[in-house]
């Protein structure tokens, strides 16, 4: 009976869409070709440049450090550092006007390594600058800006994991990785438009490793196939990050702190002054082409979804699809175990850490179906001075939205589960000092009380001394690893009782929900359509003999 009901509802909707297509005509939009850089290859990046940097005397060196290279860059690019100073890549601070919160990596707590304060030398290995090792860092210095981390096209420039943004000064081996001092002059003379590997040096490895933080950003996107991402396909469109995240004076479009959940301004055409990283900025909000029926029926029906469904919800069927797993659980409460008095590690069959004494227990997954939620673009974080309810799962960042809100759509997210330390007396999340060669760093002493006390003091905050652990979740919106249209989420994956959207309430969805009177109307519409087809066939059959006798019907 359930199968008949689903079939009936599907047929009813097909009939409805068909009639709507006939009534309103064919609809659809042809994607607008992007005008931004579309290459991640060094040779093409150099070809697009209007200058050969190897001929500039100022870049021939010798150089002993990054700031010396930046000083040389500024002899021509006089305003570059000032522009970078205004970016979130530099400040790691962001004022969310919609919520009033001051966010950014400098201020928030996450579900991974926790926080920046007191851990600066380790965290700022991904900062677009040199020397942020503590609170004394000079944010006004122009030579502290790192030009090369974004513009190196040699592949030979790497920051060290705990160098406060500096590359190695002497050969350094950490685990299986070897960090050599860069050939400063060679790198400076071979700069160009950033490629995917430039952005990925930080964004693919955030949270402590490849694929840890984002479910849709990892090293598999350096040279992806079309099956992994239709836009970044290395043998196809070959988009770089900046193709979509276009820059204006070193300020890049797109923000996970203040997202564009629903872009209604239409596709950008050449010459348009609008910098936004959204699907609609290229494809419009009616993206599906409508040819002759029956294709027009499907296109009209799919275009009708865009008002309430983000493009990503259908076109990113799973995350972590490129062979690199993403971390989906981090349990800090199990950290601190030792073997023979020493820290140890455990790994899965692919070599991923499943336990580290310094960090706790992890879970990794590949080809994971996203978590879906209504999203209006506003993200509110649980900051260190806000009360939490430790009897419930604490949302590190809260996403809002609803079916009745015209600015909301259903979006896919990575839901990062965690178990994190909190202050049991004050019921607040905490800053903790995990990194450093000192008596307070957790990775040195495995003492939670000391580590949290040091982390909180570094921010000028009080700690009661009572440590507990609370379950948390953190949401990361998905916008990369866009699959070919043939691999888009099938209709039945959502329009079924136990489908992907089974837990979203507040609206009626055919195939998932059942309302008796609406179902009856559906059955009547289906049976009426079938009866009409049968009557039409019978009439044509009955008239067949008359056509033969009269030579046709006039």
């Amino acid at each position: 009976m359930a199968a008949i009901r689903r079939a009936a509802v599907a047929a009813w909707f097909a009939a409805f869409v068909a009639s709507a297509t006939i009534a309103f005509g064919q609809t659809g939009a042809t994607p607008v070709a992007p005008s931004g850089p579309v290459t991640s290859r060094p040779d093409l990046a150099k070809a697009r440049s209007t200058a050969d940097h190897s001929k500039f005397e100022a870049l021939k060196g010798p150089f002993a450090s990054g700031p010396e290279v930046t000083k040389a860059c500024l002899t021509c690019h006089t305003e570059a550092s000032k522009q970078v100073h205004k970016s979130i890549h530099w400040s790691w601070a962001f004022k969310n006007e919609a919520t009033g919160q001051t966010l950014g990596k400098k201020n928030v707590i996450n579900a991974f390594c926790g926080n920046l304060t007191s851990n600066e030398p380790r965290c700022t290995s991904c900062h677009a600058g040199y020397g942020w090792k503590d609170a004394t860092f000079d944010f006004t210095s122009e030579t502290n800006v790192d030009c090369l981390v974004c513009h190196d096209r040699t592949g030979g420039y790497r920051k060290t994991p705990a160098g406060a943004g500096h590359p190695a000064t002497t050969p350094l081996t950490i685990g299986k990785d070897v960090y050599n001092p860069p050939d400063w002059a060679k790198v400076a003379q071979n700069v160009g438009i950033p490629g995917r590997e430039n952005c990925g040096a930080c964004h693919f490895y955030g949270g402590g490793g490849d694929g840890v933080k984002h479910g849709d950003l990892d090293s598999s996107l350096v040279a992806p196939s079309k099956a992994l991402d239709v836009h970044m396909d290395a043998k196809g469109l070959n988009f770089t990050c900046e193709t979509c995240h276009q820059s204006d004076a070193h300020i890049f479009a797109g923000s996970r702190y203040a997202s564009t959940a629903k872009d209604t301004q239409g596709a950008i055409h050449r010459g348009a002054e609008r910098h936004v990283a959204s699907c609609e900025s290229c494809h419009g909000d009616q993206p599906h082409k409508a040819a002759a029926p029956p294709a027009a029926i499907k296109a009209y029906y799919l275009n009708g979804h865009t008002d309430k469904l983000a493009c990503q919800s259908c076109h990113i069927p799973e995350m972590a699809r490129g062979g690199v797993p993403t971390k989906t659980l981090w349990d800090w409460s199990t950290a601190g175990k030792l073997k023979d008095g020493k820290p140890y590690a455990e790994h899965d069959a692919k070599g991923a850490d499943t336990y580290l004494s310094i960090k706790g227990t992890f879970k990794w997954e590949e080809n994971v179906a996203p978590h879906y939620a209504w999203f209006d673009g506003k993200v509110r974080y649980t900051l260190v001075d806000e009360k939490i309810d430790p009897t419930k799962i604490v949302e590190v960042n809260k996403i809002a939205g609803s079916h009745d809100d015209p600015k909301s759509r259903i979006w896919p997210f990575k839901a990062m589960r965690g178990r994190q330390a909190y202050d049991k007396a004050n019921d607040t999340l905490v800053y903790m000092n995990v990194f450093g060669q000192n008596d307070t760093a957790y990775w040195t002493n495995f003492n939670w009380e000391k580590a949290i006390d040091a982390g909180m003091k570094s921010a000028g905050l009080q700690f009661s001394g009572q440590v507990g652990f609370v379950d948390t979740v953190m949401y990361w919106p998905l916008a990369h690893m866009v699959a070919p249209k043939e691999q888009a989420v099938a209709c039945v994956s959502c329009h079924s009782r136990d489908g992907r959207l089974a837990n979203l309430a507040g609206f009626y969805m055919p195939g998932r929900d059942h309302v008796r009177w609406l179902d009856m109307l559906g059955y009547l519409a289906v049976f009426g359509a079938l009866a009409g087809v049968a009557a039409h066939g019978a009439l044509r059959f009955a008239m067949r003999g008359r056509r033969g006798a009269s030579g046709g019907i006039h």
Side-chain angles (χ1 to χ4, degrees), residues 518-538:
L518 191 56
D519 288 345
M520 289 302 299
L521 285 178
Y523 298 147
L524 290 174
V526 171
F527 294 139
L530 292 175
V533 171
H536 180 71

Side-chain angles (χ1 to χ4, degrees), residues 9-42:
V9 173
W12 173 36
F13 266 78
F16 166 75
V17 172
S19 64
T21 304
I22 295 170
F24 297 109
Q26 298 177 9
T27 62
T30 301
V32 178
S35 58
V38 295
T39 175
S40 189
R41 288 170 46 191

Side-chain angles (χ1 to χ4, degrees), residues 46 65 95 108 114 194 219 248 261 313 347 359 382 456 476 517:
K46 188 172 182 179
S65 68
K95 181 62 179 290
V108 302
S219 63
D248 181 6
S313 291
H347 313 281
K359 295 183 177 181
T382 301
M456 296 294 278
W476 294 81
W517 66 267

Side-chain angles (χ1 to χ4, degrees), residues 218-415:
D218 59 50
S219 63
S220 66
L221 291 177
V222 171
S225 65
K226 183 177 181 180
L228 179 56
D229 192 288
V230 295
H231 301 113
M232 291 188 272
D233 174 16
K235 295 181 180 179
L237 293 173
N238 203 26
F239 282 14
T240 65
C241 303
E242 198 178 354
T243 307
C244 294
H245 297 276
Q246 294 188 7
S247 62
D248 181 6
H250 287 91
I251 308 296
F252 290 85
S255 170
R256 64 184 175 89
Y257 295 117
S259 301
T260 302
K262 187 175 184 180
D263 184 0
T264 59
Q265 296 187 46
I268 300 173
H269 296 272
R270 291 183 182 275
E273 290 296 326
R274 188 162 80 90
H275 299 275
V276 60
S278 71
C279 300
E280 296 93 332
S281 63
C282 275
H283 297 280
D285 59 2
Q286 296 287 292
H288 304 93
K289 296 181 181 179
I297 298 174
K298 183 177 181 180
Y300 184 90
Y301 180 61
L302 293 176
N303 282 334
H305 281 62
T306 61
D307 184 51
K308 293 296 183 182
L309 200 65
C311 304
Q312 293 89 331
S313 291
C314 288
H315 292 281
I316 305 177
E318 290 89 23
M319 57 184 173
R321 299 202 323 274
V324 178
T326 188
K327 189 173 288 185
T328 55
L329 172 71
W330 186 329
D331 184 354
W332 276 100
S333 70
T334 63
K337 299 176 184 178
L338 305 176
K339 285 186 177 181
D340 299 324
K342 296 180 180 180
Y344 69 98
E346 295 176 352
H347 313 281
D348 63 18
K350 296 189 70 171
D353 299 323
T354 55
Y355 180 80
L356 291 174
S357 295
I358 62 172
K359 295 183 177 181
T361 303
F362 312 121
K363 182 179 180 181
W364 302 81
E365 295 183 82
E366 296 182 60
N367 304 304
V368 187
H371 166 83
Y372 298 94
W374 288 103
F375 184 44
D376 60 6
K378 297 176 184 178
V379 183
R380 184 172 184 86
Y381 276 72
T382 301
L383 299 178
V384 72
D385 59 349
E386 296 184 21
K387 292 287 185 180
I388 64 170
D389 182 351
T391 65
K392 299 179 180 179
I393 297 176
V394 175
E395 293 179 306
V396 175
N397 61 339
K398 304 177 183 69
I399 49 178
S402 71
H403 173 270
D404 298 325
D405 176 11
K407 295 182 179 180
S408 295
R409 297 161 101 194
I410 298 172
W411 268 72
F413 295 86
K414 171 185 172 178

